[in-house]
Amino acid sequence: MNIEILLLDNAARCESLLDTLTSENDPDYGEIFEAVRYSLLGGGKRIRPFLVNSFSAMFGGDPAIAAKLGCALEMIHTYSLIHDDMPCMDDDELRRGRPTNHVVYGEATAMLAGDALLTMAFEMASSPEIPAETAKAAVRLLSRQAGTFGMIGGQMLDLKGEHEHLDFDTLLKMHAKKTGALMEAACLLGCYAAGIFDPDDIHCIAAKQYAKGIGLAFQIIDDRLDVIGNNDILGKPVGSDAESGKTTFLSFMSPEQALDYAKDLTEQAKNAILPFHGKEPLLELADYLLYRNK
């Protein structure tokens, strides 16, 4: 099993569906559709749709439902990147090696493009072909995980960390929300696509444990790469966290210690899904994310 090939295949299928789902246009609205598609179809590993699809497959779900839910989640993830890059947030000019949305289209259009993707996500998650119970659970989950007690709450803690030093527990909470919330949503959406909704079900518990481990490890590696990474490989400037005075995992530990911590979390994630048949892609993904260089 080659995880890179699996990711490329998943990304291609996800990109094709996203392209179809955003093909509608109205010239009277100016370049908003172009701005939406610029970021949404701008490449990337499509990790979150891969998680939706993999958990759905592992638990016997419907691939078509999983694909649509994965696209909804990718729309939310992309909206968050557009807004995160803006001058009032991280003020980044590069994303995946290309100018960020606001650099190309201006701040006002970029803000609207993010807003459009967020609202579009709920349209996708409640599509007529998705069973009513699944759609209801998915919309509620996405609302919570992307909202004030999820990703947005994490973003607020991130902003706070630019002006004051966060303690380690607050840093953990920040990343459990900022990054981990959408990772958890991805894994649970895979359960939902398989008709599993009970949070106390062993499948949902395993999904949350896996998401917690890889989500936190993912952020630790991000922080580490911001210190030791390569600009050309990352597609964005290295050292931006330190320059903006952010509290990161590297504020508390060396790059070597950070890698060891991420390894422990990755093992915890893998152990959570060991009892299930069809776990191999997810085991491979966990290791791939641990040792990535971008």
Side-chain angles (χ1 to χ4, degrees):
M1 179 180 297
N2 187 317
I3 187 61
E4 292 190 353
I5 292 175
L6 291 178
L7 285 170
L8 285 171
D9 179 64
N10 174 80
R13 285 185 282 109
C14 181
E15 190 99 358
S16 177
L17 183 53
L18 287 170
D19 186 17
T20 300
L21 293 173
T22 57
S23 60
E24 187 178 4
N25 198 346
D26 187 327
D28 289 340
Y29 296 151
E31 60 189 6
I32 184 63
F33 296 100
E34 182 182 330
V36 163
R37 287 168 61 84
Y38 177 81
S39 291
L40 186 63
L41 304 178
K45 301 181 190 72
R46 310 294 186 188
I47 297 296
R48 289 152 193 82
F50 184 85
L51 288 170
V52 179
N53 294 333
S54 297
F55 269 92
S56 173
M58 186 166 64
F59 297 150
D62 184 324
I65 293 174
K68 203 71 172 287
L69 293 178
C71 285
L73 185 56
E74 193 70 1
M75 289 173 176
I76 291 177
H77 174 57
T78 304
Y79 121 74
S80 76
L81 298 181
I82 294 173
H83 284 192
D84 199 39
D85 288 335
M86 292 181 70
C88 60
M89 297 284 281
D90 284 352
D91 196 14
D92 283 325
E93 295 185 353
L94 284 176
R95 169 72 64 178
R96 295 169 179 159
R98 300 194 307 163
T100 47
N101 199 293
H102 70 273
V103 171
V104 177
Y105 297 101
E107 292 180 35
T109 298
M111 180 175 66
L112 289 175
D115 294 344
L117 282 164
L118 175 60
T119 50
M120 199 182 299
F122 294 103
E123 181 183 0
M124 294 303 110
S126 57
S127 299
E129 63 269 24
I130 296 177
E133 186 178 10
T134 303
K136 178 181 177 181
V139 167
R140 183 172 178 80
L141 176 71
L142 290 172
S143 300
R144 181 75 179 186
Q145 298 301 98
T148 309
F149 292 98
M151 181 182 67
I152 288 176
Q155 291 281 20
M156 283 303 301
L157 288 174
D158 192 24
L159 289 175
K160 182 180 178 182
E162 291 183 7
H163 306 291
E164 60 183 84
H165 182 74
L166 303 179
D167 61 42
F168 192 68
D169 287 342
T170 304
L171 182 70
L172 290 175
K173 182 177 182 178
M174 177 182 85
H175 289 308
K177 301 300 181 181
K178 181 184 175 183
T179 304
L182 291 194
M183 292 287 196
E184 182 176 305
C187 299
L188 286 175
L189 285 173
C191 296
Y192 294 178
I196 305 168
F197 308 106
D198 183 356
D200 295 323
D201 185 283
I202 59 170
H203 302 82
C204 290
I205 292 172
K208 291 180 69 172
Q209 290 175 339
Y210 178 88
K212 180 179 179 181
I214 67 161
L216 191 52
F218 187 93
Q219 188 58 55
I220 293 169
I221 298 303
D222 257 10
D223 288 357
R224 187 172 182 269
L225 289 174
D226 191 69
V227 173
I228 67 166
N230 180 288
N231 282 358
D232 294 333
I233 295 175
L234 285 175
K236 61 181 181 179
V238 170
S240 58
D241 289 343
E243 186 177 332
S244 63
K246 281 189 175 183
T247 306
T248 72
F249 284 99
L250 275 296
S251 304
F252 296 93
M253 58 189 73
S254 70
E256 293 75 20
Q257 290 171 325
L259 181 58
D260 288 339
Y261 187 21
K263 286 179 180 178
D264 289 342
L265 290 164
T266 299
E267 286 306 308
Q268 292 174 29
K270 291 163 66 176
N271 288 337
I273 60 170
L274 285 180
F276 302 107
H277 178 71
K279 58 186 174 290
E280 288 76 17
L282 291 164
L283 296 177
E284 293 288 335
L285 176 67
D287 286 332
Y288 173 81
L289 294 179
L290 175 65
Y291 293 110
R292 64 195 170 91
N293 58 8
K294 60 181 178 180

